[in-house]
């Protein structure tokens, strides 16, 4: 179980780094390369940016669950 959580933690950590780098900053970002700047809605954020936000939050939640689970396993074991 601990090995599976460690592998999942490494994968989600790497994915989080990539997803965070894809977010648009003040001057644009890598997300604009994939059409994020072309289809802006009235609220100022595009569909691509919203989906990127959802994916980042989902990945961060999985990462946090892995951290807590590994902490519990280390404390108990």
């Amino acid at each position: 179980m601990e090995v599976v959580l460690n592998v999942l933690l490494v994968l989600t950590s790497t994915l989080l780094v990539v997803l965070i780098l894809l977010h648009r900053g003040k001057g644009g970002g890598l997300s604009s390369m994939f059409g994020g700047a072309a289809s802006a809605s009235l609220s100022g954020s595009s569909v691509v940016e919203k989906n990127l936000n959802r994916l980042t939050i989902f990945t961060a939640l999985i990462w946090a669950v892995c951290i807590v689970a590994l902490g519990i396993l280390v404390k108990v074991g």
Side-chain angles (χ1 to χ4, degrees):
M1 183 70 169
E2 193 172 339
V3 174
V4 172
L5 285 173
N6 277 325
V7 169
L8 190 60
L9 182 65
V10 169
L11 290 175
T12 55
S13 297
T14 306
L15 186 60
L16 263 178
V17 169
V18 170
L19 289 173
I20 289 171
L21 286 175
L22 281 174
H23 276 84
R24 183 182 342 172
K26 271 188 167 181
L30 293 177
S31 64
S32 62
M33 216 168 73
F34 301 110
S39 61
S41 65
L42 294 175
S43 64
S45 66
S46 65
V47 174
V48 174
E49 193 73 24
K50 287 180 185 176
N51 288 335
L52 188 59
N53 287 339
R54 290 179 187 140
L55 186 58
T56 304
I57 291 170
F58 179 72
T59 306
L61 287 174
I62 294 174
W63 182 85
V65 168
C66 285
I67 292 289
V68 171
L70 277 171
I72 291 172
L73 282 176
V74 167
K75 188 174 183 180
V76 170

